[in-house]
Amino acid sequence: MKLRKIFRSAWEGLMLNKIRSFLTTLGVIIGVASVIVMLAVSAGAEAAIADQINALGANLIIVSPMRGVPGASRTLLLEDAYAIEEQVVGITGVSAEQSPAPQNIRAGGVDLEAIALIGTTADFPDVRDYAVAEGRYFTADEDDRKAKLVVLGAGIATDLFGAESALGQTITVGTTKLTVIGVMESKGIVSDVDYDGRIYLPLNLVLQKYMPVSTMRADAVRTIYLKAESQEQIPSIIAQTTALLAERHDVDAAKPDFTVQTQQDIIATQEATTAAFRDLLAWVAGVSLLVGGIGIMNIMLVSVTERTREIGLRQALGARQSNVLMQFLIEAIILSLVGGLVGVFIGVGGSYLFGSLGTMRTEIVPLSIPIAFGAAAVIGIFFGYYPATQAAKLDPIEALRRE
Amino acid sequence: MNNNLIEITGMTKVYGEDEAAVYALAGVDVQVVRGEFVAIMGPSGSGKSTLMNIVGCLDHPTEGAYMLDGRDVSQMSKNELADVRNEKLGFIFQSFNLLPRLSALSNVMLPMLYTADDVSDEDAEARAVASLTSVGLENRLHHRPNQLSGGQQQRVAIARALVNKPPLILADEPTGNLDSKSSVEIMDILHNLHKGGATIVMVTHEADIAAHAQRVICVKDGKILSDGSDGKNHCAGLHQ
Ligand SMILES: Nc1ncnc2c1ncn2[C@@H]1O[C@H](COP(=O)(O)OP(=O)(O)OP(=O)(O)O)[C@@H](O)[C@H]1O
Ligand SMILES: [Mg+2]
């Protein structure tokens, strides 16, 4: 008996009960589609993290006040940044940052409300791998002098001046008039920060003009970013920085009021979260595939019972045990392959749909398609085998006698 | 080489064990010559179907030898028996046993699914059409069983039994589910097959059906009561 003929009679068997065959495949369809969608969702989450890495810049070390330590946000100072720059070996730049409350901006006839400002030191573009598109960034000297200068995010520049050049224009930020000396390259929104919708000011100017007077220390900074010369230098830089700041803050290095992290540390915690998320999704998808397989087995067993007489007849007409086995096994495999195929289409379509809804980023993992499809085939064989052997084992006389 | 198509000697079939043992067949010897038309009669539970199942290679005897077409069938494996059924036997059942969702044509093509050498789709269809034509159903090729009368369904079943051109046709109460008019049609077909040289073994309860056969074997309690080689039917009195 040729495979083609087995396939045909298996197909005929399935067509005997179209609705049931469809409902049986539904389990596999859902399983395969969810494997693909869930992998696309977690790949999307991972891609978002990868973007974040690139957004921060390479070889970055991040110093910030220790969370949960009272008063710690007031102990990390601009002087700490200067001290690091002078004393720590292996760094190419230091950028301290502070962001005050958002301010209203006015230029010409245009008013913008509640725009985020960020005060940085002169190394900011270099340390954060974020280039100036037009004009220039302010110098360390200008920062020290609290020069009334501003560099605009690309979006703000367009909002205020349209196609006109922003360079040399005067804008009012809060109550202070500042001269625009540069416009940053467009970077978009990365991990919830709208880089294009902010403006960049000399840190000393921000500390003097925009931080609330109630702040005990007017020279406290939110974050100090260090850029390492190379990846290999990072451990040494962390050790030096930790020791230096512990001494300056007069705290035990084992119990600091600050944290020194690499972007890898930050990413690692985020990745651990998405990995746990992904594993959970994989389990859910796997379980639904399993349930689909059990559905196939259940229906095939019912089918064998219902078609006992047919099996007996086929045996009387000369079907060998292997012919009967193959017919039922191939019925199960067809069910799961058709289910797998439909599931792939729905999974890919669903991933695009979720992605286009905007709340969730999805990236279809190409490998997930053969994996899900292959899993469906394996499930068909695995869960189809037992019912098929039950069919093949039937005694022809008993089977023919059954009503 | 002898001319016996069927040679059964000392055949016993026991169901159950010890006290519960039922001797469905208790030492049966039967020879059927090529071209014979044999009817088997006997009261209910006498072992007719048991005998037919063994003759039909669907069941193994407990004891005894069975030579079919010169080959010892009693020792064959399940696969070999399946091949023998496919090549050498054509079954006609009391309840037709057609697959309900398949057309008459597809039903008749079924035995060709399992032949040792691959029959092409065109050949299989042509042979099935020829077989259905021989039973007068050339106008019902694409009808489903539920669109056919009982007599027509049994004719489809006969076409299916004939399609692999087996040397032996086995019919267990072929007219048992049919009215008298359809029964006559079926018997005419079997009669013509016999005239054409086919060997037929048929189980029946009805004396007038058995009268179509050359020879009536009478079974009771798993034993052969009379072999009718004298041309008479000694069974008639056993049926009511
Ligand atoms: N699978 C079985 N298990 C146990 N006993 C069986 C089995 N099949 C048949 N028998 C017994 O064997 C005996 C012969 O049965 P068989 O079916 O051959 O009778 P039959 O002559 O065909 O009867 P009927 O005319 O009613 O069809 C009966 O007593 C029956 O109960
Ligand atoms: Mg019987």
Side-chain angles (χ1 to χ4, degrees):
Chain A
M1 194 180 180
K2 291 283 174 316
L3 204 61
R4 179 178 52 88
K5 290 185 174 177
I6 302 175
F7 258 99
R8 194 181 332 136
S9 51
W11 183 256
E12 282 166 359
L14 293 174
M15 287 300 109
L16 292 186
N17 205 329
K18 294 196 186 71
I19 292 175
R20 180 199 284 174
S21 299
F22 169 72
L23 290 177
T24 309
T25 54
L26 207 55
V28 177
I29 292 174
I30 293 170
V32 166
S34 53
V35 166
I36 292 172
V37 170
M38 288 173 181
L39 284 173
V41 166
S42 51
E46 270 162 28
I49 293 170
D51 282 359
Q52 218 167 313
I53 302 174
N54 297 335
L56 284 171
N59 293 339
L60 207 61
I61 295 158
I62 302 133
V63 183
S64 27
M66 179 68 84
R67 271 193 224 166
V69 175
S73 65
R74 295 182 203 128
T75 58
L76 190 64
L77 305 177
L78 180 53
E79 278 72 35
D80 290 332
Y82 295 148
I84 291 168
E85 194 164 17
E86 273 165 31
Q87 297 179 34
V88 173
V89 183
I91 52 178
T92 63
V94 174
S95 171
E97 298 181 17
Q98 180 59 286
S99 45
Q103 302 288 328
N104 296 339
I105 304 182
R106 183 156 11 91
V110 188
D111 277 296
L112 298 178
E113 272 177 38
I115 297 302
L117 344 180
I118 178 150
T120 79
T121 51
D123 285 346
F124 174 79
D126 172 49
V127 172
R128 298 289 301 273
D129 288 341
Y130 183 24
V132 179
E134 205 186 331
R136 61 177 183 86
Y137 213 72
F138 43 81
T139 62
D141 183 45
E142 286 165 338
D143 179 22
D144 284 345
R145 286 193 285 107
K146 306 181 182 72
K148 295 202 166 68
L149 303 175
V150 62
V151 177
L152 304 181
I156 299 287
T158 318
D159 287 350
L160 292 177
F161 304 108
E164 232 178 291
S165 173
L167 299 185
Q169 304 269 16
T170 303
I171 67 171
T172 312
V173 177
T175 55
T176 311
K177 284 187 157 46
L178 304 175
T179 305
V180 179
I181 56 163
V183 177
M184 302 304 285
E185 67 181 358
S186 179
K187 192 165 177 166
I189 300 173
V190 184
S191 54
D192 293 338
V193 177
D194 180 7
Y195 283 84
D196 296 345
R198 309 199 293 184
I199 58 173
Y200 302 87
L201 280 67
L203 180 56
N204 281 298
L205 180 69
V206 165
L207 294 176
Q208 186 196 44
K209 289 269 180 204
Y210 297 100
M211 294 310 286
V213 196
S214 63
T215 310
M216 249 164 50
R217 297 284 305 239
D219 54 353
V221 295
R222 192 187 56 182
T223 320
I224 302 171
Y225 292 96
L226 322 181
K227 190 176 174 103
E229 277 170 10
S230 69
Q231 186 104 42
E232 291 73 51
Q233 305 269 29
I234 289 175
S236 141
I237 294 170
I238 291 174
Q240 294 177 62
T241 307
T242 307
L244 176 65
L245 290 183
E247 191 196 307
R248 288 179 59 88
H249 293 189
D250 196 20
V251 293
D252 183 354
K255 266 201 211 157
D257 59 349
F258 55 88
T259 62
V260 182
Q261 285 178 295
T262 61
Q263 54 183 339
Q264 274 79 10
D265 294 335
I266 295 173
I267 290 153
T269 45
Q270 281 175 331
E271 253 171 8
T273 322
T274 48
F277 177 61
R278 185 193 53 215
D279 290 351
L280 180 73
L281 291 184
W283 271 105
V284 171
V287 166
S288 58
L289 256 180
L290 196 72
V291 171
I294 293 170
I296 287 187
M297 177 140 102
N298 182 27
I299 291 299
M300 292 311 294
L301 283 173
V302 171
S303 172
V304 169
T305 311
E306 273 188 1
R307 289 157 68 192
T308 299
R309 253 178 108 83
E310 172 190 335
I311 295 163
L313 173 76
R314 286 179 186 271
Q315 289 174 323
L317 299 181
R320 292 178 166 202
Q321 287 194 328
S322 58
N323 295 143
V324 176
L325 182 96
M326 284 305 277
Q327 179 181 338
F328 279 85
L329 190 56
I330 286 182
E331 277 189 26
I333 294 172
I334 289 177
L335 280 180
S336 53
L337 287 188
V338 169
L341 204 65
V342 176
V344 165
F345 279 105
I346 293 181
V348 170
S351 300
Y352 277 117
L353 192 72
F354 279 131
S356 66
L357 290 179
T359 47
M360 209 187 290
R361 180 161 166 190
T362 57
E363 260 173 44
I364 291 161
V365 185
L367 200 61
S368 72
I369 293 171
I371 285 177
F373 193 68
V378 168
I379 275 174
I381 295 169
F382 186 79
F383 288 103
Y385 190 76
Y386 175 71
T389 56
Q390 295 304 101
K393 271 205 303 220
L394 283 174
D395 179 56
I397 304 166
E398 293 291 324
L400 276 170
R401 201 176 280 157
R402 203 82 60 84
E403 273 315 318
Chain B
M1 150 138 198
N2 76 46
N3 203 29
N4 285 344
L5 184 60
I6 298 174
E7 258 187 47
I8 287 174
T9 37
M11 179 148 307
T12 308
K13 179 72 185 179
V14 186
Y15 290 110
E17 283 173 12
D18 303 331
E19 287 103 90
V22 174
Y23 279 76
L25 293 177
V28 169
D29 301 309
V30 183
Q31 279 86 40
V32 174
V33 178
R34 269 170 230 279
E36 256 189 317
F37 187 172
V38 180
I40 300 175
M41 293 191 76
S44 187
S46 55
K48 303 182 297 293
S49 295
T50 306
L51 181 58
M52 284 294 267
N53 288 338
I54 292 171
V55 171
C57 298
L58 290 166
D59 205 358
H60 283 285
T62 309
E63 256 174 65
Y66 174 22
M67 303 289 285
L68 173 65
D69 206 7
R71 292 173 67 195
D72 185 359
V73 185
S74 52
Q75 302 306 319
M76 280 187 176
S77 70
K78 286 189 169 180
N79 278 345
E80 288 171 313
L81 288 178
D83 295 348
V84 168
R85 291 195 293 271
N86 186 252
E87 289 166 31
K88 307 241 180 248
L89 303 172
F91 289 94
I92 304 168
F93 304 93
Q94 179 175 355
S95 51
F96 322 138
N97 275 330
L98 301 176
L99 297 191
R101 311 277 182 123
L102 297 187
S103 67
L105 189 65
S106 301
N107 266 292
V108 174
M109 285 168 72
L110 277 179
M112 288 178 281
L113 272 181
Y114 305 113
T115 48
D117 35 57
D118 194 32
V119 185
S120 76
D121 291 352
E122 297 76 38
D123 285 358
E125 190 169 329
R127 278 166 60 181
V129 170
S131 196
L132 280 163
T133 306
S134 75
V135 297
L137 286 179
E138 61 277 14
N139 296 322
R140 297 286 186 279
L141 299 180
H142 301 290
H143 286 58
R144 299 256 182 90
N146 61 4
Q147 298 167 320
L148 297 170
S149 73
Q152 288 170 329
Q153 290 184 49
Q154 193 61 300
R155 276 146 71 190
V156 174
I158 293 174
R160 182 180 63 193
L162 298 178
V163 77
N164 273 350
K165 301 194 168 35
L168 179 60
I169 306 286
L170 299 175
D172 194 345
E173 302 192 33
T175 60
N177 284 8
L178 299 176
D179 58 39
S180 51
K181 183 174 163 283
S182 304
S183 300
V184 170
E185 282 173 19
I186 297 301
M187 289 321 296
D188 282 346
I189 293 173
L190 292 183
H191 210 80
N192 286 334
L193 278 174
H194 172 231
K195 275 201 285 188
T199 312
I200 303 174
V201 177
M202 172 181 76
V203 169
T204 183
H205 277 114
E206 296 158 70
D208 53 335
I209 297 293
H212 287 265
Q214 289 172 298
R215 168 182 168 200
V216 179
I217 296 175
C218 194
V219 182
K220 196 184 177 201
D221 295 335
K223 294 198 185 89
I224 293 187
L225 213 63
S226 69
D227 196 333
S229 16
D230 54 2
K232 288 192 192 138
N233 181 355
H234 299 275
C235 264
L238 294 169
H239 293 274
Q240 46 291 95

